[in-house]
């Protein structure tokens, strides 16, 4: 019994640790969202998965703080060029986020998940424009947590429904469908964002 409890504790600690590290990485230069990991946990342990969204949020806030600080310290072109190398990030997107922060302040972070704009761009723009760090972090909580919970909860629910509807479905098949869906998402998302950024840049140049 003790061995089983220790194993469960280690597994939970691992799941939360990866979620936190992933949240931190995605708030800096990594391009894959931590929802991938939290929803993966949700395939088999929905309750733990919702807990890992809190760990992902903690990591995101820490990473966002680092990116905020970095954006406030380095030259604007330096940070722009560095983030422009991240997949699915375009120069037009960076400029748009700068304008949003200038116009609406840290509250504009809430628009990011709806439009697929990386959190790191808001962190960099907030630091660049000296937006109060407290306000940036406060708006970051709903700006990050809502999507983490929605995606994780949705995947957990779909997996549970699939098991009920198809009781003979193996866990390996469920895992395969999971990774295929996430792979397909990024296979479409990254080129689409890059293409839209190129088109917007051309239109901006012509006007």
């Amino acid at each position: 019994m003790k061995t089983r409890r220790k194993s469960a504790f280690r597994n939970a600690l691992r799941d939360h640790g990866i979620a936190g590290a992933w949240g931190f990485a995605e708030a800096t230069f990594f391009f894959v969202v931590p929802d991938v990991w939290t929803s993966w946990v949700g395939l088999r342990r929905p309750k733990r998965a919702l807990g890992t969204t809190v760990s992902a949020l903690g990591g995101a806030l820490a990473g966002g703080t680092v990116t905020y600080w970095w954006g406030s310290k380095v030259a604007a072109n330096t940070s722009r060029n560095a983030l422009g190398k991240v997949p699915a990030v375009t120069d037009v997107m960076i400029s748009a986020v700068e304008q949003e922060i200038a116009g609406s302040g840290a509250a504009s972070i809430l628009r990011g998940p709806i439009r697929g704009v990386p959190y790191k761009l808001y962190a960099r723009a907030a630091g660049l424009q000296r937006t109060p760090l407290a306000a940036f972090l406060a708006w970051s909580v709903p700006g990050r947590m809502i999507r983490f919970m929605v995606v994780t909860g949705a995947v957990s629910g779909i997996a549970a429904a699939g098991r009920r509807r198809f009781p003979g479905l193996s866990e390996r098949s469920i895992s395969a469908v999971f990774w295929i869906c996430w792979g397909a998402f990024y296979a479409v998302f990254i080129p689409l964002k890059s293409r839209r950024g190129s088109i917007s840049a051309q239109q901006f140049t012509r006007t």
Side-chain angles (χ1 to χ4, degrees):
M1 183 66 72
K2 288 184 178 179
T3 302
R4 187 176 298 176
R5 287 179 179 176
K6 286 182 179 179
S7 178
F9 176 77
R10 285 195 297 268
N11 289 338
L13 192 63
R14 176 205 62 192
D15 291 344
H16 283 278
I18 292 175
W22 204 316
F24 180 92
E26 196 266 334
T28 51
F29 286 96
F30 193 47
F31 67 96
V32 179
V33 295
D35 314 43
V36 174
W37 176 254
T38 58
S39 58
W40 169 250
V41 176
L43 287 185
R44 295 168 182 82
R45 296 186 178 275
K47 291 183 179 180
R48 181 187 295 176
L50 290 177
T52 61
T53 63
V54 179
S55 298
L57 172 65
L61 294 180
T65 300
V66 170
T67 303
Y68 174 100
W69 176 85
W70 173 69
S72 70
K73 296 297 182 181
V74 304
N77 283 339
T78 299
S79 58
R80 173 184 287 267
N81 292 336
L83 288 179
K85 296 176 182 178
V86 176
V89 173
T90 65
D91 194 64
V92 171
M93 188 185 295
I94 295 173
S95 296
V97 171
E98 289 180 2
Q99 293 174 7
E100 289 178 19
I101 290 289
S104 303
S108 60
I109 293 172
L110 296 177
R111 303 172 189 166
I114 299 173
R115 297 178 297 130
V117 177
Y119 172 64
K120 59 180 70 67
L121 301 189
Y122 290 96
R124 176 256 181 191
L128 177 65
Q129 298 180 27
R130 302 298 192 274
T131 302
L133 178 60
F136 166 72
L137 293 176
W139 282 106
S140 294
V141 174
R144 298 276 79 197
M145 195 63 171
I146 292 174
R147 197 197 67 203
F148 289 168
M149 294 188 70
V150 168
V151 173
T152 302
V155 172
S156 299
I158 292 171
R163 290 188 183 95
R164 291 193 299 269
R165 181 67 178 82
F166 306 101
L169 195 63
S170 68
E171 292 301 314
R172 179 175 294 183
S173 298
I174 293 174
S175 298
V177 171
F178 174 88
W179 290 115
I180 289 172
C181 288
W182 272 114
F185 170 78
Y186 275 102
V188 172
F189 177 77
I190 292 176
L192 181 63
K193 281 293 181 180
S194 300
R195 180 173 177 274
R196 285 181 176 177
S198 299
I199 293 174
S200 298
Q202 293 174 5
Q203 292 174 343
F204 180 78
T205 303
R206 292 170 184 171
T207 58

